[in-house]
Amino acid sequence: MRVTFLGTGSAMPTGERFQTGVLLQEEGRTLLIDCGSGVLHRLQQSGVGYENVSTVLLTHHHLDHVADLLPLMKARWLAGEGHLEIVGPQGTKSLVDELLAVHEYMQGKLDLQLREVHPGEFSVAGFDVSAYETRHSLPCLAYRFGNLFTFSGDSEAFAGLANFAEESAILAHDCSFPDDVDVSNHPTPDTLGRELAGREIGRVYLTHLYPHTDGRHEEMLESIGAHYDGDVRFAEDLQTVSIE
């Protein structure tokens, strides 16, 4: 499996980090997880391109995770790609219907397949997926792909999510702010390290990074490392990780 971080930023993007998007590729199958602002451009920069993404899996419906959904639809329509499947938690169908109600000229341009999923197991784009509800301000699902890859979506750090990710080769986890920021619905390094302590995970990549984290990576890693002794790194836009 190849995991490409298309966007590792947040609702306050920087020039280096666009909003959330993760691309999975395995044996000819391709899946885009989330589609925040800038992800459409990152798809082109990755060499994969929007023409080759026919399925999007949403963690939740905050703007920084769905902002490029309509631009993706339009780009695929203009490129002659007539199909797109959008899968996500409860409310996904209403979200897409309301987006299309604002931009009426896009109605009927694509063969859209909309599917809502719940915590548990399902298949999407040929991938077998397990979903787990996170702790966020909107209903949000974390997704696990066998023992290869787990994506936290947006969430506070808590034991249930750490258990869900245990024994994954790669965990990409929200770590939006350094420790001195008073925040809910997202973890800080200290809270994340405490919840990961004792877990067996191959490697952890920190993502969903607000500008507040700029220049503070070393202290954030030290804070996590005070509790968790595993391999922790910061994800970067357009970084690709291969998982055997």
Side-chain angles (χ1 to χ4, degrees):
M1 177 183 285
R2 286 167 53 89
V3 177
T4 301
F5 296 102
L6 298 174
T8 60
S10 65
M12 299 171 64
T14 67
E16 290 74 35
R17 297 184 186 276
F18 289 175
Q19 293 179 354
T20 300
V22 179
L23 186 70
L24 301 189
Q25 297 170 282
E26 186 178 43
E27 297 178 351
R29 296 167 290 173
T30 302
L31 176 65
L32 175 62
I33 307 175
D34 285 343
C35 195
S37 179
V39 167
L40 188 62
H41 295 281
R42 289 293 195 224
L43 276 171
Q44 295 310 104
Q45 293 169 345
S46 75
V48 175
Y50 52 81
E51 303 93 335
N52 295 309
V53 172
S54 59
T55 305
V56 181
L57 177 62
L58 301 176
T59 59
H60 66 298
H61 302 146
H62 273 150
L63 190 58
D64 53 317
H65 295 255
V66 304
D68 266 9
L69 203 51
L70 265 179
L72 174 63
M73 292 183 206
K74 183 170 182 178
R76 285 184 59 78
W77 165 53
L78 293 173
E81 300 292 340
H83 171 76
L84 184 65
E85 181 182 22
I86 301 172
V87 182
Q90 185 174 357
T92 294
K93 185 178 186 304
S94 295
L95 170 74
V96 176
D97 287 345
E98 290 167 5
L99 288 173
L100 291 173
V102 174
H103 298 274
E104 294 184 8
Y105 77 98
M106 282 299 298
Q107 294 180 14
K109 293 296 193 296
L110 292 177
D111 172 24
L112 282 177
Q113 291 187 340
L114 305 177
R115 179 156 55 111
E116 297 184 354
V117 294
H118 306 276
E121 298 181 354
F122 59 93
S123 294
V124 59
F127 292 89
D128 293 327
V129 188
S130 297
Y132 185 83
E133 187 169 359
T134 75
R135 293 181 180 174
H136 195 49
S137 54
L138 279 183
C140 181
L141 296 175
Y143 295 120
R144 177 168 177 152
F145 299 81
N147 288 331
L148 297 178
F149 179 65
T150 299
F151 181 48
S152 72
D154 284 10
S155 181
E156 297 179 3
F158 65 103
L161 184 53
N163 290 337
F164 178 70
E166 188 158 19
E167 297 187 358
S168 295
I170 297 291
L171 165 63
H173 203 294
D174 177 355
C175 194
S176 293
F177 297 96
D179 287 326
D180 58 2
V181 177
D182 183 16
V183 63
S184 60
N185 302 307
H186 299 283
T188 59
D190 180 72
T191 59
L192 180 57
R194 290 178 186 274
E195 296 300 345
L196 292 179
R199 314 292 180 185
E200 295 294 331
I201 297 170
R203 187 181 299 161
V204 178
Y205 282 93
L206 307 181
T207 189
H208 204 269
L209 302 166
Y210 273 78
H212 306 62
T213 65
D214 288 353
R216 305 185 66 177
H217 290 188
E218 184 174 345
E219 70 177 80
M220 291 174 68
L221 292 176
E222 289 176 355
S223 180
I224 293 172
H227 310 286
Y228 173 67
D229 60 2
D231 185 351
V232 182
R233 308 180 187 189
F234 280 83
E236 304 292 341
D237 282 26
L238 294 175
Q239 178 180 11
T240 295
V241 180
S242 295
I243 312 171
E244 301 295 333

